[in-house]
Amino acid sequence: ATVLSQRDLLAAGDWLVFHEMVDVLDLRAYAIASHLDGVRRARRIAPLVRERVASVRESYVRWDLMAAGLPEPEVNVDILDDHGTFLARGDLVYRHWKLLVEYDGWQHERDAVQRPDPTPRTQICGQTDAFGRPKGCGSPQIWGGWRVRVSPW
């Protein structure tokens, strides 16, 4: 915790929990009980670690949203219609506003299996309102970017 930024600590914690290397509650308990260098920073970040964060870039976008003053989004949750039918899984979801924020990495464009069919996604999520990439992420061809979609669900 003395070497990494808070953003990177969050990404590391999310990654460890997602890959089942540590339980989220055990991670938090260790941060509370530990007296190692950097423990104060680790204690501030440990409550923000989530179980369902599927990529480091999702952690970064989630951190950037919260650092900008937005509330914490739900992570990798299923989007259902009024009848309970599965529509999609959103990376970062603000249900109240019917807003999806998704990290679109380069693999989604280069891998035919991961490349989504834009028709159903457009029908589910509505029109793309914004596309960008956080500062320091390099070119979009390498790192991808994030998309914000307003959804009619």
Side-chain angles (χ1 to χ4, degrees):
T2 59
V3 177
L4 299 176
S5 69
Q6 290 184 54
R7 186 177 186 237
D8 287 333
L9 278 174
L10 177 66
D14 286 345
W15 188 90
L16 288 168
V17 170
F18 182 80
H19 291 283
E20 300 179 350
M21 298 181 120
V22 66
D23 178 78
V24 69
L25 296 177
D26 290 341
L27 177 74
R28 291 175 185 163
Y30 181 79
I32 290 168
S34 178
H35 297 287
L36 301 172
D37 288 344
V39 72
R40 288 184 181 165
R41 294 178 71 229
R43 287 177 184 155
R44 282 193 300 268
I45 299 305
L48 301 175
V49 172
R50 299 292 175 256
E51 294 175 332
R52 297 176 59 124
V53 181
S55 76
V56 170
R57 297 292 175 195
E58 286 177 18
S59 297
Y60 287 164
V61 174
R62 185 166 59 96
W63 174 267
D64 292 344
L65 292 169
M66 292 185 302
L70 292 169
E72 182 177 1
E74 293 180 76
V75 179
N76 285 308
V77 293
D78 292 344
I79 307 299
L80 309 175
D81 67 13
D82 293 337
H83 305 289
T85 304
F86 176 83
L87 298 174
R89 174 165 291 147
D91 292 348
L92 304 167
V93 178
Y94 292 101
R95 284 185 201 270
H96 178 73
W97 298 309
K98 295 187 177 184
L99 187 72
L100 301 177
V101 179
E102 296 192 314
Y103 176 75
D104 287 340
W106 63 268
Q107 74 277 8
H108 294 288
E109 294 301 322
R110 294 185 184 175
D111 183 348
V113 174
Q114 293 190 44
R115 186 180 315 122
D117 176 2
T119 306
R121 190 59 130 185
T122 302
Q123 289 172 352
I124 293 166
C125 299
Q127 198 170 22
T128 299
D129 290 332
F131 176 76
R133 83 186 120 81
K135 291 180 182 177
C137 283
S139 75
Q141 291 78 23
I142 296 172
W143 296 114
W146 47 266
R147 294 184 189 276
V148 177
R149 296 180 174 98
V150 177
S151 174
W153 92 86

